[in-house]
Amino acid sequence: MSRLSQVFCPIFLVFAVLANASSRAQDMEPLPIGEGDRVRLKVIGQPDLSDVFEIGRGGQLSLPGLGTLTGLRDLEQTRKEIGVLIDRKFGLSETAFSLTIDRLRPVIVGGNVSRPGEVAFTPGMRVAHALALAGQGRRANDDLSIELQINEGRERLISAKARLARALVKEQRLVAEMRRSQAVDLPAEAKELIGEKEAGLLFATERRTLAARLENRAIALRRIDASAQINREDISSQEAVSQSLRTQLELVQGDLKRLEPLFADGSITSSRILELRRDYVEIQGQVGQTVASLAQARARQAVLSEESAAYDLQLRLELLGEVAGVQFEILDARASIKTISSSLEAAGAELPATDMASPASCRLTLLRDTGAPTPTLMAADPLTRLQPGDLVFVGRTSTRCPTLAEVRGAVQ
């Protein structure tokens, strides 16, 4: 592999990540413009107004024949305000003119690069693009690789802390559910891991889940109790019917015993005896059916009596499984946090704050004109979006932020 490939290969890997992650965002964000940028205006039927114009100090743009605009910050804003002037003066719609970029201020790259100086700005440009075009030295290239690894480590650490916080809050909810209580507290550690606001949102979600699951349990138990009550009433009814049939059977049997001697000596006809015998057989059949139905109802009652206990046991076993799973998640998240934190500390990186913010390294520093009396000095990383006229200062092996005086020296 050539020396040039060794220098630029990691940078172009960054390009692949950037192109996929931010292509849509680039299309939506307005293009910033400022002092020194030039725009090209074309107005249909008005050749005297069509020309190239340069943005002045404070975002001022003088358009002979139209007027002067001030405080311009981006191309879209400029297009709208010019459209207002053209509509006011000529009554033309926004389709009667076009406004495009003629030239944008270059980005200036200084510090530990092979070719410090101006780099042509293109919309959507990131710090990594500018560093690649400026030709970093080997040490700076190594710093960029370390920076990318540190940024990735920070994101992994934040993700692991969020995972641990979710598991801690869920564990509290599961313990409360096993107690069949809605009394649950937000773990203090969760607030330390992801901040009070995010932890509060997690806690609110778990409390709603707890209330819903307890209500589902209560509904299921009420349904079982209602079925058992209906079955008990059915048993009582069938017992009453069975007792009534047995009484009728005894009466018919008594009539037969009393009338059979009379039938034997010819005092009564056979029709009455036959009728009583038919009644006896019919009632015996009804008694048998009632006894069978009653046995089934009592068996069903025994099952319903055990169903509540079985349902509670099943829920408890499911909860124990969930508790075991979330406790394993807690152990795994703690191990991940320890491993990632050790790696970041070994690389000399600052650990992310608990409010999910990921502080940028000071190896890369950005000086930007924001319209204030003095430019704004900020820490940057390879993924930071650039604007026309930005100054990128590349540090060396130190993570100390360059002072404003040092950056101004690089500009000079």
Side-chain angles (χ1 to χ4, degrees):
M1 181 181 291
S2 68
R3 183 176 180 182
L4 184 62
S5 297
Q6 292 175 348
V7 172
F8 288 108
C9 184
I11 305 299
F12 293 138
L13 290 177
V14 177
F15 291 169
V17 176
L18 300 177
N20 190 40
S22 63
S23 59
R24 292 184 63 187
Q26 292 172 6
D27 294 337
M28 297 175 63
E29 294 182 8
L31 177 64
I33 57 176
E35 181 181 359
D37 295 330
R38 295 194 307 197
V39 295
R40 182 180 298 276
L41 175 64
K42 290 185 178 180
V43 183
I44 297 176
Q46 301 292 334
D48 294 340
L49 300 179
S50 302
D51 203 347
V52 174
F53 303 95
E54 183 170 320
I55 307 295
R57 182 176 296 275
Q60 180 173 304
L61 179 61
S62 296
L63 302 171
L66 287 176
T68 300
L69 301 174
T70 58
L72 301 176
R73 300 301 303 167
D74 59 69
L75 184 63
E76 186 61 27
Q77 173 202 3
T78 305
R79 183 179 288 111
K80 289 180 180 179
E81 296 197 18
I82 291 177
V84 171
L85 293 178
I86 292 176
D87 178 53
R88 186 182 302 161
K89 190 172 183 65
F90 300 103
L92 299 176
S93 67
E94 59 182 13
T95 60
F97 76 96
S98 65
L99 185 71
T100 57
I101 294 295
D102 180 71
R103 186 198 67 183
L104 292 172
R105 290 162 293 162
V107 172
I108 301 174
V109 182
N112 187 31
V113 291
S114 301
R115 296 182 299 278
E118 295 184 354
V119 172
F121 176 85
T122 56
M125 177 180 263
R126 306 263 181 170
V127 168
H129 295 77
L131 298 183
L133 295 172
Q136 288 185 277
R138 182 172 180 79
R139 177 181 293 180
N141 188 47
D142 292 342
D143 284 348
L144 179 58
S145 299
I146 293 172
E147 182 70 23
L148 291 173
Q149 294 174 7
I150 289 175
N151 285 342
E152 181 184 357
R154 286 195 183 106
E155 295 300 325
R156 288 171 52 215
L157 181 58
I158 290 171
S159 177
K161 286 185 175 182
R163 185 158 56 95
L164 176 57
R166 286 194 298 270
L168 290 171
V169 176
K170 184 177 180 180
E171 182 186 35
Q172 290 296 308
R173 188 260 295 172
L174 291 173
V175 171
E177 189 173 349
M178 292 183 69
R179 297 196 309 264
R180 302 174 189 171
S181 169
Q182 293 198 28
V184 59
D185 297 322
L186 173 61
E189 186 179 359
K191 293 189 285 187
E192 295 173 0
L193 287 167
I194 60 175
E196 188 169 356
K197 181 180 178 181
E198 293 295 329
L201 293 175
L202 281 177
F203 182 64
T205 300
E206 291 295 339
R207 286 196 65 176
R208 288 193 294 271
T209 301
L210 173 62
R213 293 183 62 158
L214 290 177
E215 179 62 21
N216 285 340
R217 175 187 174 277
I219 291 173
L221 292 177
R222 286 198 297 269
R223 187 182 298 114
I224 294 172
D225 290 343
S227 298
Q229 179 61 31
I230 293 172
N231 197 67
R232 283 193 294 268
E233 293 174 356
D234 185 41
I235 290 174
S236 298
S237 175
Q238 291 192 45
E239 286 176 344
V241 171
S242 177
Q243 183 61 40
S244 175
L245 289 173
R246 289 179 187 278
T247 300
Q248 293 179 38
L249 191 64
E250 290 174 359
L251 292 174
V252 172
Q253 190 176 18
D255 287 344
L256 281 173
K257 287 181 179 180
R258 182 172 55 83
L259 295 176
E260 279 178 351
L262 298 176
F263 172 71
D265 61 13
S267 300
I268 60 173
T269 62
S270 62
S271 60
R272 178 57 180 160
I273 296 297
L274 290 175
E275 182 182 355
L276 288 173
R277 286 175 179 174
R278 283 196 297 269
D279 290 344
Y280 184 81
V281 171
E282 182 179 351
I283 294 172
Q284 266 191 329
Q286 292 176 357
V287 168
Q289 291 177 356
T290 303
V291 169
S293 298
L294 194 56
Q296 291 178 354
R298 286 170 176 164
R300 187 163 59 250
Q301 186 65 26
V303 171
L304 289 172
S305 298
E306 296 295 329
E307 190 169 343
S308 293
Y311 179 74
D312 258 352
L313 179 59
Q314 179 185 356
L315 285 183
R316 188 169 184 80
L317 290 174
E318 291 176 357
L319 286 172
L320 286 173
E322 289 189 65
V323 169
V326 80
Q327 288 177 345
F328 176 80
E329 181 76 10
I330 289 172
L331 292 175
D332 184 63
R334 290 192 191 281
S336 297
I337 290 172
K338 183 177 180 181
T339 301
I340 298 169
S341 298
S342 298
S343 300
L344 288 173
E345 289 173 359
E350 297 178 7
L351 299 183
T354 58
D355 60 355
M356 304 296 285
S358 180
S361 168
C362 294
R363 289 191 178 93
L364 298 171
T365 309
L366 196 65
L367 188 67
R368 173 171 293 168
D369 180 11
T370 59
T374 59
T376 300
L377 179 65
M378 62 185 74
D381 59 41
L383 305 183
T384 301
R385 290 280 299 272
L386 291 175
Q387 296 183 9
D390 280 350
L391 164 68
V392 180
F393 186 88
V394 183
R396 296 185 181 275
T397 58
S398 172
T399 59
R400 178 181 61 85
C401 285
T403 64
L404 186 58
E406 290 174 330
V407 178
R408 283 175 175 166
V411 176
Q412 294 173 358

